[in-house]
Amino acid sequence: MFNRRHFLGSGIVAAGSVLLLPAAVRAAIKSNPFTLGIASGSPRDTSVMLWTRLAPDPLRGGGMPLGDVPVRLRIWADDAAKRLVREMDVVAVAEDAHSIHERVEGLEPGREYWYRFSVGDYESALGRTRTTSRASSTARLAVASCQSWQSGHYAAYADMAAWAPDCVVHVGDYIYEGGTSDLGKRTAKMFGEDLTFNTVRQHNGPEIVTLWDYRNRYALYKTDPSLQAAHAASPWIVAMDDHEIDNNWASDTPQDPWAQTPLEWQVRRIAAFKAYYEHMPIDRPPVIDMLGTALQARLQMYGLYRFGPAQVHLLDTRQFRADQVCGEGFPGQTPCPEAARPDRTMLGAGQEKWLADALRRSDAKFNVLASQVWLTPYRYNQAPEPAAVNFDAWDGYAPARQRLFETLADGVSNPVSITGDWHCAAASRLHLDPFDVRSKRVGVEFSGTSISSDCPWSPAMERARADNPHVAHHNGRQRGYCRFDVDTRHWATTYRVVADPLNPNSAVGTDVEIRVADL
């Protein structure tokens, strides 16, 4: 278990470990620059990415002087920080908001390490990370998503930090792009229901569109102590969903193309990608090219990770998808002819081929698809009417999902989808004919509820439960996350739920435990 004293330990550096800085830099850093915490991520058998960002004035651009800054990084083999295994100088890069992305190589597979940054008179918290190992017989994973700052606090992350999984899989909506809401309760009629919303803390400004905006919004979220604790306790693998840029964006198309020109959208997307890189423990910055007269930015997010008996295929369901079709009926919209076009893609041709090849080659007991949006079909009306579905999820990309299901049905060992986006917990059986439970079963899906974001469409989902017999569990009332305990024979999912999302110190308990064999 990860001890909370570790992440609370940032402050003045110990004597004898000071890295000498230029006098002007030392004079400019007048307060703790580790206000945004530390993180590790993208773990491999013999390496891991370590991250921090120097920001003594985090909500106003960071407050750092011009120029790169040298930082001391130390790594230990024990949580008492006695057995030093590596000490090095790394660089906080000014053009990347003084963030540090250091891939540490030459580590041992399947073991824990502890690390700390220091600069001038200050040192960071002590972080724990862990390398991966194909040979391990067990894995402990967590999935998280959808952490609206305004909607609630992050007690779920405090609980996750105490559990200290081998890895956290974050499938998107790390920040929300919207502007400031009024504090307190408000009521709105949605989907035929009178729904109550709470704003417990406010965003720092209007809707974000510039690099300055995105940096300050990430900084706001990262000041939360429970989020910092979860990052300090475990390595993360991450991919963005929509709110890291613009609600329901799809490849080169924003949610509201009438409100932003193609050039404005591309510039905004570049800013969002760059800020995401600056605040995440990932390897590669965005690549920006000119295609003819148009700007084009790409950020590598999908990838393959092995945790003993589980092979995780982290997907990217935003950058390469076709635009949504059939209107914006919500939460469910009836299909239109365009939805059935076979060329409509969720992953793009390159990622789709990569995934199929990786699944066919895999020798893992469990093959995990970490998707931002639900693979599970869900209809909001009664048969025999054409299913009214959420066209932002895989339901809106039925031909692409069918190709994936046919791959899963062709001998892939124990497919398990883990996902977020929809702010509610669910456990489902996946069938070759998605709405026909008599057809061949091709896998299961565990959808984590949101860390803090509201789920106003939960009543509509409850009314439709009888028309979705493949869904064995649903809870849209509570916030939380999923834990996964995996060994060479079994997969067990624990749904952790927050008693009071308006309380940062809320109790967190277990709603239900489900084994793959029981679905």
Side-chain angles (χ1 to χ4, degrees), residues 32 41 76 96 192 195 197 267 271 284 287 310 374 383 462 494:
N32 176 25
W76 295 271
D96 292 332
L195 302 176
F197 299 85
V267 171
R284 304 181 196 174
V287 175
W374 280 28
E462 285 293 342
T494 302

Side-chain angles (χ1 to χ4, degrees), residues 205-337:
E207 182 167 349
I208 52 179
V209 295
T210 69
L211 180 58
W212 174 270
D213 296 339
Y214 281 104
R215 284 173 171 171
N216 288 337
R217 185 62 55 85
Y218 276 102
L220 176 69
Y221 277 59
K222 280 184 168 288
T223 59
D224 186 280
S226 295
L227 178 57
Q228 289 191 16
H231 272 297
S234 302
W236 288 38
I237 60 175
V238 299
M240 67 168 61
D241 193 19
D242 54 342
H243 287 290
E244 287 88 347
I245 306 183
D246 188 25
N247 182 49
N248 285 357
W249 70 277
S251 187
D252 295 328
T253 306
Q255 180 190 31
D256 49 0
W258 58 87
Q260 45 194 320
T261 68
L263 178 59
E264 288 172 333
W265 166 243
Q266 290 300 337
V267 171
R268 180 181 185 181
R269 198 170 76 155
I270 290 169
F273 281 171
K274 181 166 174 53
Y276 187 82
Y277 167 74
E278 292 170 349
H279 293 86
M280 294 294 157
I282 57 179
D283 285 278
R284 304 181 196 174
V287 175
I288 303 169
D289 295 313
M290 288 294 294
L291 296 180
T293 59
L295 282 171
Q296 181 68 59
R298 291 294 183 204
L299 181 64
Q300 181 62 42
M301 289 186 281
Y302 68 84
L304 197 62
Y305 301 86
R306 184 64 179 262
F307 301 94
Q311 179 164 290
V312 176
H313 309 75
L314 180 66
L315 304 183
D316 176 353
T317 62
R318 284 291 161 191
Q319 280 193 89
F320 309 102
R321 64 156 70 191
D323 194 14
Q324 299 91 341
V325 294
C326 304
E328 294 189 354
F330 199 74
Q333 174 72 25
T334 54
C336 61

Side-chain angles (χ1 to χ4, degrees), residues 184-217:
K185 291 184 178 181
R186 67 186 190 280
T187 301
K189 184 174 285 295
M190 297 179 66
F191 324 126
E193 307 279 347
D194 289 321
L195 302 176
T196 299
F197 299 85
N198 285 283
T199 299
V200 300
R201 49 186 180 174
Q202 292 176 306
H203 276 159
N204 50 344
E207 182 167 349
I208 52 179
V209 295
T210 69
L211 180 58
W212 174 270
D213 296 339
Y214 281 104
R215 284 173 171 171
N216 288 337
R217 185 62 55 85

Side-chain angles (χ1 to χ4, degrees), residues 97-114:
H98 288 97
S99 62
I100 294 169
H101 296 79
E102 184 67 25
R103 178 156 290 280
V104 181
E105 306 277 358
L107 305 178
E108 297 178 17
R111 67 151 299 154
E112 295 174 314
Y113 292 91
W114 285 260

Side-chain angles (χ1 to χ4, degrees), residues 374-379 395 401 405 408 414-419 425-447 465-474 495 514-519:
W374 280 28
L375 269 170
T376 296
Y378 204 93
R379 64 181 302 143
D395 267 336
R401 180 175 60 190
F405 280 8
L408 298 180
N414 296 305
V416 178
S417 174
I418 61 175
T419 186
S428 313
R429 296 175 294 275
L430 303 176
H431 293 269
L432 188 57
D433 184 346
F435 282 105
D436 185 355
V437 295
R438 299 165 299 179
S439 66
K440 182 178 180 178
R441 179 166 145 175
V442 299
V444 298
E445 180 165 80
F446 297 107
S447 304
R465 280 293 303 281
D467 297 291
N468 295 277
H470 51 286
V471 179
H473 168 68
H474 171 259
Y495 287 86
I514 301 174
R515 294 163 71 97
V516 165
D518 297 332
L519 276 177

Side-chain angles (χ1 to χ4, degrees), residues 94-165:
E95 69 177 24
D96 292 332
H98 288 97
S99 62
I100 294 169
H101 296 79
E102 184 67 25
R103 178 156 290 280
V104 181
E105 306 277 358
L107 305 178
E108 297 178 17
R111 67 151 299 154
E112 295 174 314
Y113 292 91
W114 285 260
Y115 63 98
R116 172 172 278 150
F117 297 92
S118 59
V119 60
D121 297 327
Y122 300 95
E123 65 179 10
S124 74
L126 183 68
R128 167 193 173 270
T129 191
R130 183 180 177 89
T131 53
T132 61
S133 173
R134 292 178 61 90
S136 176
S137 60
T138 63
R140 301 200 315 166
L141 307 173
V143 69
S145 66
C146 303
Q147 53 197 56
S148 169
W149 176 268
Q150 299 191 131
S151 299
H153 290 283
Y154 293 166
Y157 276 135
D159 184 70
M160 188 186 295
W163 190 56

